[in-house]
Amino acid sequence: MFMLSALIFCVSATTVSYDGRAITIDGQRRVLLSGSIHYPRSTAEMWPDLIKKAKEGGLNSIETYVFWNLHEPVRRQYDFTGNNDLVRFIKTVQDAGLYAVLRIGPYVCAEWNYGGFPVWLHNLPGIELRTANSVFMNEMQNFTTLIVNMMKNEKLFASQGGPIIITQIENEFGNVISSYGDAGKAYIDWCANMAESLNVGVPWIMCQETDAPQPMINTCNGWYCDQFTPNNPNSPKMWTENWTGWFKSWGSKDPHRTAEDVAYAVARFFQTGGTFQNYYMYHGGTNFGRTAGGPYITTTYDYDAPLDEYGNLNQPKWGHLKQLHEVLKSIEFTLTHGDVNNTDFGNSVTATVYATNQSSSCFLSNTNQTTDATIKFQGNQYTVPAWSVSLLPDCKTEVYNSAKVNTQTSVMEKKPNKAENEPVALSWVWKPENIDATAVHGKGHVSVNKIIDQKVVNDASDYLWYMTSLELKEDDPIWSDNMTIRVNATGQVLHAYVNGKYLGSQWAKYGVANYVYEQSVKLNPGNNLISLLSATVGFQNYGPHFDMVQNGIADQVAIVGTKGDEQIIKDLSAHKWTYKVGLRGIEHKFYSLDSKFATKWVANDLPTNRMMTWYKTTFKAPLGTDPVVVDLQGLGKGFAWVNGHNIGRYWPSYLAEDGCSTDACDYRGPYTDSKCVSNCGQPTQRWYHVPRSFLQEGVNTLVLFEELGGNPSLVNFQTVRPGIVCANAYENKTVELSCQGHPISAINFASFGTPDGACGSFQKGSCESSKDVLSILHTECVGKESCILDVSEDKFGAASCGDNVTKRVAVEAVC
Ligand code: GAL
């Protein structure tokens, strides 16, 4: 017994070192392929599967930030339970045999509320965030030390035999350092010293920090990092964030970055001497509850990452990168030891040879955005399509080209919930949010003679009521026919009530920090009650001094009387304002079955388009294991809870702006988040992820708080899985068709030769093989969960399409 436990706990230390060429692990120089998976953007139950898929996708490392505001929601009160169980997450990575990169920050940006800072920090006397300020530095050191010690206690650093090979301090401070003057420089030096003093035994990195003090390694973030060189010749070339797509805000379109372009960027990075590359995100996931930042970041954080929001493979991205990873790993030794030699072929075409005594490996890149290149290299002829990189592990045979995708495309579909009788119409009960105390009586928790920033109340809720009374004498000079209330608002939604009556609402757009709400108002002689409900949609997470950005009602609330050309302004800013944090229904947990207040739901007269309304229904969990979403089309804005779990803010009535192009998406040329977008004019987010672990057998409960007014009659639960899958693969390659756990039910289209079109609209080309390719596919694939095909004349029959034509097979299968 003693022997056994001694064996289990005897794990040997791993040494991680580096030089200008590479990260070295246990004496071996490495090509490190990593991917970001943020533990709180999924659930602990999802972690093993996500990490397994990352490993199968060819990664050898997982990167995560550490989210301070989750772990220390109240000063010195910590939470590492459930989905916040960082140790369990790192151990899950370890169990899968992968390395971990721990980005402690603790400022993380990440489109996360307040960039990961707990909002109480803002309220500590004398504090200034992210600068040489002793109050802040003390808190940052306290939390960083806590995390480091937690990892040490569990022996999770590589130096202790654990999986963590790299740790990060701060995040992209170099992007904003100039706004902090000398104190910024002093702060970053302090960060470096503080981190070093923690003796983690593995290297520390700082991303986007051009003057990172040694021995901090500065690393690159972006869509491309081939041009990056670290600030010290001893630092290896590392890429902490290869943005696989982009995030989404309310009102913005769906981003899409092609598999070809991501692969191109990765191949270029390793062609130019990279040693560590991390996909940000590999799995983006979901901003549950109130975790989304921005402001205005959506609940989905899909990111168009290789694994989609729900954990499904995003094909062809996942598979196309997997094939690249295999090639890169096969040439790891040459890449990290070989002498490098570049040949410029003109027109942005470059050959790079990595040569050791034993072998050499080559890259042929064409960074021209439009022109394909045909070059003669070491006696052979190669065609390198525009904006692509070919990999030749033996410097002769092209085994991979970033622009030639041989992986299937999966078109995901939402299927109705088969556990319910169809057609599904959920039956609802409702109750109003009681706003009488605030809107009619102006009652709150505290009163002060000024207008406060919502951060002052520690971000306990999205909602804050601002209430004041205004005594107007009959002879007040302000009386006029045209009187308005004017509110300077900053964040982000405002609902105005006067004397208990709803006056109107307004909200900002993404990226707009301030707006003025002005509305005609009828006031009475005597006392008038003004009640303003402000709702935040996530706090700012990025930019110089982002933490100081105002939230809620800013500096001025005024009543304006207009008489001819004259305006009389009564500024109410210094009035006595009474504040009430949150909403009654949230405080009383209407979303929880255990709440003694969650009673008296009404079954009759279900209201629609009614503001401030609670809705409740029950449903059966969809059968099977496919991920579950709830379709909230028809609703306005609010929060949704499934069995008491807050699945995030919803806002399907916020449509994505116009401006989608009908042109096919072209992978060539630098990606930006406005390229290849979709979903114009549709709800920014219609479907909301309900992790399987939130569901139970039997009856489940969905509760909605509807803030703007909506109609829940269309709400229903669905599962997400591949609907059709398409292959479009080149001759001499192998292609796998898979319905991810479901049988292939039919083949819609198959052709070998020069087929045209894209998945969903394939057409036969001018040249076709003689055999019945569709029947061959039918026999090999239908009824199976996956089938593997060699793309060859042997298999599909001869086709003479001309010497310079690379033949392809195109298949469309139904899952
Ligand atoms: C980076 C930042 C990440 C994330 C990303 C955009 O600048 O480091 O945390 O915010 O931008 O998704």
Side-chain angles (χ1 to χ4, degrees), residues 65 103 108-111 171-172 175 207 221 241 243 246-247 280 301 303 541-542:
Y65 280 130
R103 306 175 77 190
V108 297
C109 192
E111 291 71 70
N171 190 73
E172 295 194 333
N175 291 359
C207 61
N221 294 345
E241 293 181 22
W243 300 326
W246 201 236
F247 56 81
Y280 185 101
Y301 195 66
Y303 222 90
N541 59 262
Y542 181 70

Side-chain angles (χ1 to χ4, degrees), residues 99-409:
Y99 297 124
V101 175
L102 191 68
R103 306 175 77 190
I104 301 178
Y107 162 67
V108 297
C109 192
E111 291 71 70
W112 192 260
N113 196 37
Y114 213 38
F117 283 147
V119 180
W120 55 256
L121 271 183
H122 173 82
N123 296 319
L124 294 181
I127 200 163
E128 276 179 68
L129 274 55
R130 293 183 91 193
T131 188
N133 169 283
S134 59
V135 184
F136 174 70
M137 292 190 298
N138 180 42
E139 294 303 315
M140 172 165 165
Q141 181 161 9
N142 182 70
F143 181 74
T144 309
T145 311
L146 178 107
I147 295 296
V148 164
N149 287 344
M150 182 177 273
M151 298 300 119
K152 279 187 183 170
N153 289 340
E154 299 286 339
K155 304 223 176 325
L156 291 175
F157 286 107
S159 46
Q160 305 171 290
I164 303 171
I165 51 167
I166 292 160
T167 37
Q168 178 177 306
I169 196 76
E170 248 294 340
N171 190 73
E172 295 194 333
F173 192 68
N175 291 359
V176 295
I177 193 168
S178 59
S179 311
Y180 293 80
D182 291 346
K185 179 71 188 127
Y187 166 62
I188 211 68
D189 288 345
W190 171 83
C191 288
N193 289 330
M194 190 269 286
E196 270 300 296
S197 75
L198 296 172
N199 288 318
V200 295
V202 299
W204 282 98
I205 55 170
M206 280 182 168
C207 61
Q208 298 287 101
E209 189 60 61
T210 41
D211 58 355
Q214 294 309 299
M216 305 286 117
I217 305 171
N218 80 311
T219 66
C220 184
N221 294 345
W223 283 302
Y224 307 92
C225 280
D226 48 338
Q227 303 300 324
F228 169 76
T229 346
N231 63 339
N232 188 291
N234 247 342
S235 296
K237 177 166 171 171
M238 295 173 68
W239 189 1
T240 25
E241 293 181 22
N242 174 1
W243 300 326
T244 51
W246 201 236
F247 56 81
K248 202 160 81 158
S249 58
W250 298 110
S252 76
K253 300 161 243 188
D254 280 6
H256 174 55
R257 186 180 180 200
T258 60
E260 290 94 328
D261 185 52
V262 183
Y264 165 80
V266 177
R268 281 287 297 154
F269 182 70
F270 284 100
Q271 178 181 16
T272 53
T275 176
F276 168 96
Q277 185 274 152
N278 175 76
Y279 298 102
Y280 185 101
M281 299 297 293
Y282 195 75
H283 169 255
T286 309
N287 292 313
F288 296 113
R290 305 180 53 245
T291 57
Y296 265 62
I297 298 299
T298 51
T299 294
T300 175
Y301 195 66
D302 180 88
Y303 222 90
D304 196 25
L307 299 178
D308 73 11
E309 175 177 8
Y310 320 112
N312 292 313
L313 306 186
N314 177 8
Q315 295 281 46
K317 202 176 267 185
W318 181 87
H320 190 48
L321 295 172
K322 172 186 163 96
Q323 287 169 6
L324 173 58
H325 302 154
E326 276 160 15
V327 183
L328 288 169
K329 281 195 269 184
S330 74
I331 57 175
E332 181 174 53
F333 186 82
T334 328
L335 280 185
T336 53
H337 292 83
D339 292 331
V340 188
N341 205 320
N342 288 309
T343 313
D344 185 350
F345 285 85
N347 283 333
S348 313
V349 178
T350 309
T352 305
V353 182
Y354 281 87
T356 66
N357 290 340
Q358 290 106 50
S359 63
S360 35
S361 302
C362 295
F363 292 81
L364 305 178
S365 66
N366 180 358
T367 59
N368 190 299
Q369 297 179 32
T370 47
T371 319
D372 298 348
T374 299
I375 55 164
K376 203 135 197 225
F377 172 66
Q378 298 192 350
N380 293 314
Q381 186 166 299
Y382 299 89
T383 298
V384 191
W387 203 256
S388 84
V389 182
S390 294
L391 277 79
L392 288 57
D394 60 358
C395 289
K396 285 197 186 69
T397 322
E398 172 193 313
V399 304
Y400 186 89
N401 174 275
S402 59
K404 296 181 191 160
V405 177
N406 293 292
T407 302
Q408 75 173 35
T409 296

Side-chain angles (χ1 to χ4, degrees), residues 12-88:
S12 56
T14 305
T15 16
V16 185
S17 58
Y18 61 85
D19 55 25
R21 186 64 183 267
I23 296 271
T24 298
I25 300 181
D26 275 344
Q28 200 192 332
R29 285 186 173 168
R30 299 304 306 267
V31 160
L32 289 164
L33 300 161
S34 178
S36 286
I37 299 179
H38 292 157
Y39 52 97
R41 284 180 156 141
S42 53
T43 61
E45 290 76 9
M46 290 169 69
W47 299 340
D49 182 58
L50 295 173
I51 292 165
K52 180 168 157 260
K53 285 172 174 157
K55 187 175 182 182
E56 283 167 8
L59 300 192
N60 45 27
S61 163
I62 302 293
E63 182 177 288
T64 185
Y65 280 130
V66 177
F67 298 87
W68 187 358
N69 58 357
L70 285 186
H71 298 305
E72 197 175 349
V74 177
R75 189 164 183 263
R76 305 298 180 262
Q77 288 179 27
Y78 299 102
D79 180 1
F80 288 92
T81 61
N83 302 333
N84 294 353
D85 192 343
L86 176 61
V87 166
R88 176 169 167 191

Side-chain angles (χ1 to χ4, degrees), residues 414-437:
K414 315 237 170 22
K415 304 261 183 190
N417 179 1
K418 296 226 176 66
E420 303 274 3
N421 294 329
E422 291 175 59
V424 192
L426 298 169
S427 78
W428 294 90
V429 291
W430 72 284
K431 60 195 272 170
E433 165 70 17
N434 189 341
I435 55 170
D436 285 359

